[in-house]
Structure formats: C-alpha cells, structure tokens
Amino acid sequence: MAQLIETSTTPLNRVEVDLVTIDLVENALRHARYEMDEVLFRTALSPGIREQHDEFPLIGDPEGKMVVGQFGLSIPDFLENFDGTIEEGDVLLTSDPYSCGAAISHANDWLIVMPIFFEGRIVGWSSMFGHMTDVGGKTPASMPTDARTIFEEGVVIPPFKLYNKSVLAEDSLRIILNQVRKPDWNRADLNGLVAACRTASRRVQELCARFGADTYTSALEELMDRNYRAMKILLAMVFKDGETISFTDYIDDDGVGYGPYKLKMSLTRTGDKVTLDFRESSPQAQGPINYFINENLVRMFFGIYMITVADPQILWNDGFYPLVDVIIPEDSFWKPKYPAALNARNHGIGRVFDLFGGLLGQTNPDLLNAAGFSSSPHFMFSGNYSEGDRKGEWFQLYSIGFGGIPGRPVGDGPDGHSLWPSFVNIPCEYLESYYPLRIERWETISDTGGAGLHRGGNGVDVSYRFLEPGTIAIHDDRWLTYPWGVNGGEPGARGTKWIDRADGTTEIIPSKVIDVPVHRDDVLHFVTWGGGGWGDPLARDPELVGLEVRRGLVTVDGARSYGVVCDGAGAVDVEATDRLRTEMGEGRPSPLPTFNMGPPLETILERCLEETGLPAPLPPISV
C-alpha cells in the first residue's frame, strides 16, 4: 500500500460551505476536467487520442475518490497496490491491469496518477489514461485477437514513479519506449497525459488558494454526500425491496473460435442498498475478450444510468458507492486469472451499456433503450511504404469505428455514431493525407437500424481502398447475435466485413482477426451493426418513413417493416398502408414483448455459416 508523505501535519477540517461556493467549486472542476482533455488533444500525436479522443480524465478528493471524470480509474485501488512512498512532485505510471486492481483494463491504456499538494498536504488527485496506438508485442497495434496471455500483448508497465520529486526517470522511459513501434507517438501522448494531470493540479491549487483548503475539501465532501442522498432516494423509488431483476446478453466469440459468452447481471435491493451480481456470467474466456472490470467502475456505470437519467445536471461522482455492493467471481469473464489476455476487452465495455440498459430499463419500460452500443469496433492498418520519397518508412493506423445507436424513448438512434459521448471520427481528409489509403465510401446502410416507433440507428459501411500493401486487423462484435429491440421494436442488423480483392475475388473476414495481408487496390468493407428499434413500428408516422426512403435511410422494402407502402420517391400510398398495417397488426401479442432478441441462440448458431459465411463458434470451455 502506498505511503503518502506530507510535510504538513495540520489535518484538513470539515467546515460549513454555502451553496454558492459549492456550485463554484463544482463547475470549476467540471471545466478543469474538460481543460485536461484539451491539453492532451493539443499535445498528442496518435490519431486515436489526438483525433478520436480515446482518453479518460479524473479529478479526485484527498482519498482518491472521483469527484469529476469520465471512466472511474479507481485511484484507491491503484494506491492499494502501489508499494512505495508518494511525495510532492511524484508522477506515477502503469499499464498493468493486474497490478492496480483493474483501474485500467488492458496494456494499451497508460495510466498516469498524480497527487495534488497544497501547503504540504494532499488535497486531491488527478489521473488520466489514454489508449496507446502500439505497446509492442506480436502484432502491430498490440491487440492480437488470438492472444491467450497478456505476455503476447506488448510491454506491461508495473506501477512506478515516472517522475520522482519532479525528476523524470529517463532510463526507465527509454527502456519502455524501446519496446514499441511508434516511440515518438507514445512519448508525445504520455507527455500530454502528464501535462493534463498537471493542469488539473494547478486548477485545484487555485481553488484552494481562493477558498482555503478546508473549504475546498469540505465542498468535495458535500458534493459526495449530495450524490449519496440522491442515490438513496432513487434506489427506494425505482427498485422493490427484496426483489431481484436480471438481464442476459452475449459476446459473440473470443477471437480463437469459442463463443458465445454469456453475460448475466442481476440486481437485488435490500434496504437502502443494492447488490449487482455477475456470478451467472461465463467463466474466463480462452481468447483476449476478457473484461477485467473494477468493482468501482461497475458502480460508476450504474450511477451513469441512475443519476444522470434522474437529473442530467448533477455531476455524478463516487459518493454513492457505499450504497452499491458488487459481486464478481474469480476466474470469470469479468475477473480473469493472471496472466489471461485482455486486449479485446472493448467488446465487453460496449456490452456493459447494453446490459445496464436492459437491466435497469425493466423497472420502467417507457425509459428503456434498445441495444446498439454493443461493441467498440477497431480497425488497424500498417506496413512500409514500397516506393516514392517515403520508401521503407513505417506507417501504422489505429482507429475506432461506430455502429448504430439504439432507438430511445426520446427519438431515433443516430446513424453510425460514437459509443462514447466525447469520441469522434477521424476525418477522411486526415486519413487520406497521412496514410496510403483512400476512403471510397462512408455511408449509412439502409434498413440496418431496427424498425420501431423510434428507429434504431443504421450501421455504416466504411470502404478503405489500400494504396500500399500491408496488413490489417479488426476487432468487432455483433456479427452473430442481434442488437435487440424493445417495447415492440425490431432488432438491428448484424455487422459484417469483407475484402474485394484487386484480382476480382471477395473474401469474408471474421469480426476479430489480425495480420490479414492486403495489396494495392484491395478494398475493405467495414460494415457495423445497427441499433435496435424502440416501440411499435406500426405507430411510426408514414410520412416520416417516406422521408427516410427519399433520404436513403430506409428502402421501399424496408418501409414495409413499418407497414408503409410507398414508391421509390417516398410517396406514401395511404390506403395501401392502412390495409397493410391492419393485416400486420392482426394476431400480434398484446402487449408487444418488452425485448425482441431475434431468433433463439440455437437457431442463430445452426444458421451461422449460411447467413454469415463464417463457421459458428464452438461452445466455451473452462480455461
């Protein structure tokens, strides 16, 4: 456990803080959190961080509990697992999930943790991690889909002092960067993470200088207490005492031929507290899809759904954590045994959103979202230029793709949108300027969003024409199971990947694959899944369906899923639509099912080769 060295022995005291000061501190921290982002974006070199914003900041209280942030990070678990002293000027770094209680979840994420001192006392912590494009290992981008141990996934950095009393550990950093394929990118991105944390530290010190350390830290405690009180009320309002609700979804495969992996979450309220139970999920996977998840991160996901739905203006934090117990068994998908591979945990991250949506939405189906977050698709392309001024130079791309967002109570799901609220696409102009490829197509795929009163977002087809030979890697899911619809809505379409080879042949590509050779003028079609639909499709405005036919979001045949008859120009035949809707409405169950998961899993597996062109995965086996 970390030993904290403070030069002042005067304790921080709890004092009364007026509401205006609390509001000023809260919003100052909110803006400091976004300032951390901007510092990193302006410093990083890798497109994954610089352009797509694959990073997550945190500002904590003196104990390391999150006051403002995006992804938890769990500083208390990091400190629990760090063996050494921490003093003013120290900056700590790790990329080892097994050495920090899963404060991060795979080796590509480099985590910076920094104490914030004011007048000799720790008044808080700043922390941030970013996904490094490459950390070495057996394949470019360091995310081998066939890995079975973390040793195959590149350099794994144990927790250590990157800066000791403000002095950089240059030799250690040199050894680390010697393991990676793009050391200049890693160094720039790492410097940006450190600079962002130092920026947060300065902002907190300014608040302490303005209000006093006692007032500042007392304001943090009040913000924590506010979330505790809000969650306590919400739990009593939403969940029945003693009742258990559950929800199950699946990860399609693990990259080495096994699947689907069952992910089940149950919730029970007992008095003031709830318990989230993962014990009925699949055991640890053979391949690298295991999502080593920190219990505090589970609490954070829970809070996102509970607090922000109730009041989006509340700045959710760790204050409510004592009200939420989490049970995760050892040697499971959610807590694999060292040295299990972890690089493809992005599918589990996406599926957590579907799981929480399906679980918590049962308490109020009118607020239920369909499925569609589901995964975080990755595309990697690398090689050496074969000619011209850059002949022999190494190029390497890591990028995040987007699928259809689910239909929601408030409206349609966006088409081809980001899983995370802060993520954005890498612009086509950037890709074509810095990499030997051309974007031939970046468009939504009609009818891939599930039909509903509110349509699920369509998936997208991003078509990459390669101008140089190289290798590609893909990480995706939802190629087998369907993004489910809710409240009568239909499931979204599954994703698919294929290469139109320059020689005229077509090759279907699995959703998880590495080191696939590509040649000049080969074209990869990276097609993502659609979001599930929300509500009765027959209740959707026919004129809106006709408009979407004109816009190419729905086809004429697809319009019939809504009971709408129209021509290619989107002109609706009102009488034919009324007749079709009457026919389709006859014999339907009433009320319509809350969840439409698509065909039974047994049927999906039986039809897998015929429908997807890929063999069905084998049933998972214990590791």
Side-chain angles (χ1 to χ4, degrees):
M1 184 174 182
Q3 180 183 357
L4 308 181
I5 307 298
E6 299 175 285
T7 57
S8 173
T9 59
T10 304
L12 293 165
N13 297 312
R14 182 86 182 252
V15 299
E16 291 291 327
V17 186
D18 62 86
L19 293 177
V20 173
T21 300
I22 292 172
D23 193 50
L24 289 171
V25 170
E26 177 183 29
N27 283 283
L29 292 176
R30 190 197 306 267
H31 287 286
R33 170 253 187 273
Y34 289 116
E35 188 178 4
M36 293 174 74
D37 292 335
E38 290 302 322
V39 168
L40 179 58
F41 301 157
R42 294 165 187 260
T43 307
L45 286 181
S46 70
I49 294 180
R50 173 181 167 179
E51 299 294 325
Q52 295 206 274
H53 306 168
D54 191 357
E55 50 75 33
F56 300 89
L58 176 148
I59 302 173
D61 73 357
E63 297 178 0
K65 292 181 291 186
M66 181 181 71
V67 180
V68 58
Q70 187 176 353
F71 206 45
L73 307 190
S74 197
I75 292 175
D77 287 275
F78 177 95
L79 298 177
E80 180 71 26
N81 288 275
F82 180 75
D83 186 17
T85 60
I86 297 179
E87 304 178 60
E88 188 165 3
D90 289 351
V91 178
L92 298 103
L93 166 66
T94 188
S95 69
D96 183 4
Y98 292 106
S99 294
C100 62
I104 49 175
S105 52
H106 72 168
N108 284 82
D109 290 334
W110 286 13
L111 170 65
I112 290 293
V113 175
M114 179 187 301
I116 301 174
F117 280 81
F118 182 76
E119 296 179 346
R121 295 173 296 182
I122 292 178
V123 294
W125 296 82
S126 60
S127 184
M128 196 176 209
F129 76 79
H131 179 106
M132 298 293 160
T133 289
D134 190 279
V135 295
K138 61 186 284 186
T139 190
S142 314
M143 298 181 68
T145 56
D146 61 351
R148 295 174 185 263
T149 72
I150 197 170
F151 304 122
E152 302 169 79
E153 299 175 344
V155 61
V156 181
I157 307 167
F160 84 106
K161 291 185 182 182
L162 178 65
Y163 286 83
N164 189 345
K165 298 179 183 179
S166 301
V167 178
L168 175 64
E170 295 184 9
D171 288 343
S172 298
L173 182 57
R174 188 179 301 112
I175 292 171
I176 292 169
L177 295 179
N178 194 54
Q179 314 302 312
V180 308
R181 293 175 177 85
K182 296 289 291 183
D184 53 338
W185 286 11
N186 289 56
R187 181 184 288 273
D189 292 357
L190 181 61
N191 286 342
L193 293 170
V194 173
C197 288
R198 285 176 171 161
T199 298
S201 178
R202 287 196 298 273
R203 298 296 172 255
V204 169
Q205 290 165 346
E206 290 166 359
L207 288 170
C208 289
R210 177 179 179 183
F211 297 110
D214 289 341
T215 298
Y216 170 75
T217 55
S218 296
L220 301 189
E221 292 186 56
E222 178 54 37
L223 291 174
M224 295 283 188
D225 290 345
R226 184 180 68 184
N227 270 28
Y228 181 92
R229 295 191 300 268
M231 182 63 77
K232 187 175 180 179
I233 294 171
L234 285 172
L235 295 181
M237 292 173 54
V238 173
F239 305 109
K240 295 179 181 178
D241 196 5
E243 182 180 65
T244 297
I245 57 175
S246 301
F247 189 75
T248 301
D249 207 338
Y250 296 87
I251 297 287
D252 290 347
D253 72 298
D254 64 357
V256 296
Y258 298 98
Y261 284 82
K262 176 184 176 182
L263 306 181
K264 183 174 181 179
M265 186 189 302
S266 298
L267 180 149
T268 304
R269 179 189 148 216
T270 305
D272 290 337
K273 301 178 70 173
V274 298
T275 298
L276 295 169
D277 190 343
F278 292 78
R279 284 178 293 186
E280 294 185 63
S281 295
S282 285
Q284 177 177 325
Q286 294 276 340
I289 62 167
N290 298 294
Y291 182 18
F292 188 13
I293 191 169
N294 181 277
E295 284 83 355
N296 280 342
L297 191 57
V298 174
R299 296 180 176 98
M300 187 272 292
F301 283 130
F302 179 75
I304 289 175
Y305 274 90
M306 294 298 296
I307 292 178
T308 56
V309 168
D311 186 350
Q313 294 305 311
I314 290 180
L315 191 67
W316 49 267
N317 56 46
D318 288 5
F320 67 87
Y321 284 8
L323 294 169
V324 183
D325 290 332
V326 181
I327 302 174
I328 304 176
E330 301 285 343
D331 303 344
S332 69
F333 174 90
W334 304 103
K335 188 175 286 188
K337 183 179 179 180
Y338 177 84
L342 304 172
N343 74 78
R345 94 287 187 250
N346 48 298
H347 313 301
I349 289 176
R351 207 63 104 252
V352 160
F353 286 92
D354 284 350
L355 280 170
F356 268 114
L359 179 75
L360 303 180
Q362 295 175 50
T363 61
N364 189 343
D366 289 339
L367 297 178
L368 177 63
N369 287 334
F373 293 110
S374 294
S375 181
S376 181
H378 292 355
F379 167 65
M380 286 76 85
F381 173 45
S382 59
N384 296 95
Y385 287 95
S386 63
E387 58 187 17
D389 295 339
R390 304 178 73 177
K391 184 176 181 179
E393 181 181 333
W394 177 257
F395 61 84
Q396 185 170 337
L397 170 66
Y398 157 83
S399 65
I400 303 169
F402 307 133
I405 298 299
R408 304 162 295 166
V410 296
D412 297 344
D415 305 305
H417 205 271
S418 169
L419 164 69
W420 299 103
S422 63
F423 278 17
V424 296
N425 285 315
I426 300 178
C428 295
E429 295 82 0
Y430 182 100
L431 291 171
E432 294 181 344
S433 296
Y434 287 95
Y435 295 96
L437 55 77
R438 185 164 62 243
I439 307 301
E440 302 248 314
R441 178 181 299 155
W442 194 310
E443 63 185 21
T444 60
I445 307 301
S446 303
D447 299 336
T448 51
L453 171 64
H454 299 151
R455 177 176 61 80
N458 283 326
V460 293
D461 178 0
V462 183
S463 299
Y464 301 90
R465 180 178 293 275
F466 302 109
L467 306 181
E468 287 278 6
T471 61
I472 64 170
I474 292 172
H475 280 254
D476 201 4
D477 207 63
R478 286 296 194 205
W479 67 274
L480 182 65
T481 60
Y482 292 84
W484 32 269
V486 298
N487 298 333
E490 296 292 325
R494 299 179 290 195
T496 184
K497 314 289 182 288
W498 74 92
I499 298 175
D500 289 332
R501 296 289 187 183
D503 63 9
T505 60
T506 297
E507 180 181 350
I508 297 174
I509 302 296
S511 73
K512 301 174 185 68
V513 67
I514 56 168
D515 298 335
V516 176
V518 292
H519 308 285
R520 185 178 284 107
D521 286 329
D522 286 349
V523 178
L524 168 68
H525 292 265
F526 196 112
V527 178
T528 55
W529 25 262
W534 189 98
D536 185 358
L538 303 186
R540 190 170 176 85
D541 182 357
E543 292 300 327
L544 177 56
V545 177
L547 175 63
E548 295 196 316
V549 170
R550 294 196 294 276
R551 290 176 171 174
L553 300 172
V554 176
T555 66
V556 172
D557 288 339
R560 298 182 72 87
S561 300
Y562 302 87
V564 174
V565 179
C566 62
D567 60 21
V572 176
D573 186 327
V574 177
E575 292 183 1
T577 294
D578 289 341
R579 288 194 301 269
L580 179 57
R581 286 189 161 183
T582 299
E583 293 172 8
M584 293 175 65
E586 293 175 353
R588 294 195 307 174
S590 182
L592 294 173
T594 301
F595 295 100
N596 184 343
M597 313 294 289
L601 189 57
E602 296 77 9
T603 302
I604 289 175
L605 292 169
E606 181 182 327
R607 298 176 180 172
C608 180
L609 183 60
E610 175 187 352
E611 293 181 349
T612 70
L614 299 169
L618 300 173
I621 58 176
S622 298
V623 176

